[in-house]
Amino acid sequence: RQAPKVSGIAFSVRTLLLLAASVIAFALMYAQGIPDAATAATIFLAILFFSLDSYSMLFFNVFQAYERMYFEPAIMLISSVFQVGAIWGVVQLDLGFNAVFVVMVLSGMIRVISGCSIMIRSFVVPVLDFNASEFWCFVKESSIVGFGVFLYLNLFRVSTIILHWIHGNEETAYYQ
């Protein structure tokens, strides 16, 4: 009964977080000096890919909530087969580094379009009809999990970051 509203709030929170992360990424990129066009394009494509990946995870979470997880492997299989074939083509045609990111974005688009269409057709249509208190209640309750994931991922990689600061790129590459 609350699924449309909750999924709408989750979609809104995810969009706001992705926008904030994108602004921060571009601000940091330009604070270090304006990069060449190829680097800026690569960063833009990476941000776009991770944004699409984030939305596809949201749709997959809806499948899990309705205990219909069989959609996710099918979508991932189709997306992965496309991605492997397209990257093979990019390598064979020597299209360059950014073409790999374009393939990743297209693969992400396959997951998002498939996941969103299945979610809307079979389970729930997100509703963006909520008030500020419902929004902040959702943020408060979900931030604990999000903060835990953030700490886990960063604490998992802290040894690599410290090694990079102490010894540089070559030692970090050997460590990884």
Side-chain angles (χ1 to χ4, degrees):
R1 154 173 52 106
Q2 296 240 343
K5 187 179 283 194
V6 170
S7 61
I9 294 171
F11 186 81
S12 300
V13 169
R14 190 156 302 218
T15 301
L16 290 174
L17 289 173
L18 289 171
L19 286 174
S22 299
V23 168
I24 290 169
F26 277 107
L28 290 173
M29 179 178 67
Y30 283 102
Q32 294 181 351
I34 298 177
D36 59 286
T39 304
T42 302
I43 292 171
F44 173 75
L45 289 170
I47 289 172
L48 186 57
F49 168 72
F50 286 115
S51 298
L52 291 169
D53 198 44
S54 177
Y55 284 118
S56 66
M57 284 189 287
L58 178 66
F59 303 137
F60 295 163
N61 289 339
V62 170
F63 301 160
Q64 291 172 3
Y66 283 93
E67 297 179 355
R68 301 292 189 269
M69 284 78 77
Y70 50 82
F71 289 112
E72 182 179 354
I75 292 171
M76 291 303 290
L77 177 67
I78 292 166
S79 170
S80 297
V81 167
F82 167 79
Q83 192 170 8
V84 168
I87 288 179
W88 182 83
V90 164
V91 170
Q92 292 300 315
L93 298 173
D94 194 25
L95 296 178
F97 188 67
N98 276 345
V100 173
F101 280 95
V102 169
V103 167
M104 291 172 62
V105 167
L106 292 174
S107 174
M109 290 175 76
I110 289 171
R111 286 194 303 272
V112 166
I113 291 169
S114 302
C116 183
S117 62
I118 291 171
M119 180 188 76
I120 289 173
R121 189 184 72 237
S122 301
F123 301 114
V124 63
V125 176
V127 174
L128 300 176
D129 182 28
F130 52 86
N131 59 37
S133 66
E134 292 170 326
F135 177 83
W136 289 114
C137 180
F138 182 88
V139 169
K140 183 180 82 172
E141 290 184 19
S142 63
S143 64
I144 300 299
V145 174
F147 186 66
V149 170
F150 176 79
L151 284 178
Y152 172 75
L153 291 175
N154 287 306
L155 291 176
F156 180 72
R157 293 188 176 99
V158 74
S159 57
T160 306
I161 294 168
I162 291 173
L163 183 64
H164 175 72
W165 286 342
I166 295 172
H167 291 288
N169 291 335
E170 187 174 342
E171 294 292 328
T172 305
Y174 286 132
Y175 175 74
Q176 290 181 348

